[in-house]
Amino acid sequence: MRKVEFGWLLPVCMVLVLGVIGAVLYRSLDWLQTPPAQLALSNEVPAAAATDTLPAPAAARPEQLKAIAAGDALFKGNCAQCHAVNDVVVGPALAGITKRRPLSWLVPWVKNSGKVVASGDEYAVKIFAQFQKQQMPSFQLSARQIEDIMAYIESEEGRATAVAGVVALRD
């Protein structure tokens, strides 16, 4: 029986993974060159924004990249004080949030979590109790802005997974 050598596989996989990460990072920096006036977000929600799922970041189109960049700025300005994508801060880690709850639940939660808790929603009550009944502040964000934040969170989940894969390959 002939022995098959796979010593070449690890370097090839590392090059591919690093290439994908580099491409994503390069594309995500485009928004830094955009004038601030063009980054301003409208409070109007287009009809297409009423969907309950977000496209996968791996297949990001230009409009998705813009949503991720806008979500990054919104996350840092509104959420990062209490949340991180992969770590518990004051509030829960947000990785996988769109898998745990649909956008139709997340939008009202971000706008006014107290109202969702008061409605008796089982998941909302559980999270509220789990975090010492510390209520998340209400935010005056549009549904589109909240969807952009979710797109950013999903993009960061993918980045964390890719980086973990590279670290695992290195070890």
Side-chain angles (χ1 to χ4, degrees):
M1 184 175 219
R2 200 170 112 194
K3 183 177 176 185
V4 178
E5 296 289 330
F6 288 103
W8 57 270
L9 188 59
L10 179 62
V12 169
C13 289
M14 287 180 65
V15 167
L16 290 173
V17 168
L18 291 174
V20 169
I21 291 170
V24 168
L25 290 175
Y26 176 78
R27 297 282 290 169
S28 69
L29 293 177
D30 288 345
W31 71 274
L32 289 173
Q33 298 171 1
T34 306
Q38 291 181 358
L39 288 176
L41 297 171
S42 168
N43 283 334
E44 296 177 23
V45 180
T51 62
D52 226 22
T53 59
L54 292 172
R61 298 183 303 261
E63 61 271 8
Q64 291 170 306
L65 295 174
K66 287 180 183 177
I68 291 168
D72 179 18
L74 287 164
F75 182 86
K76 288 175 181 168
N78 295 286
C79 312
Q81 298 84 349
C82 298
H83 294 282
V85 175
N86 296 302
D87 299 311
V88 173
V89 185
V90 174
L94 299 178
I97 189 67
T98 57
K99 293 171 184 71
R100 294 189 302 269
R101 307 306 311 157
L103 283 172
S104 60
W105 187 92
L106 291 167
V107 169
W109 172 259
V110 172
K111 287 185 175 192
N112 190 341
S113 66
K115 188 175 179 180
V116 180
V117 170
S119 76
D121 180 273
E122 189 176 321
Y123 188 78
V125 171
K126 175 186 158 204
I127 293 295
F128 181 64
Q130 182 179 351
F131 287 88
Q132 291 74 39
K133 298 188 177 186
Q134 186 168 358
Q135 184 172 336
M136 185 172 89
S138 298
F139 291 96
Q140 299 301 314
L141 297 170
S142 69
R144 176 77 251 161
Q145 290 171 314
I146 294 168
E147 290 175 18
D148 290 348
I149 292 170
M150 297 305 151
Y152 165 74
I153 291 168
E154 287 185 351
S155 75
E156 289 298 299
E157 291 170 13
R159 183 175 305 165
T161 302
V163 170
V166 170
V167 170
L169 286 174
R170 237 185 359 195
D171 293 341

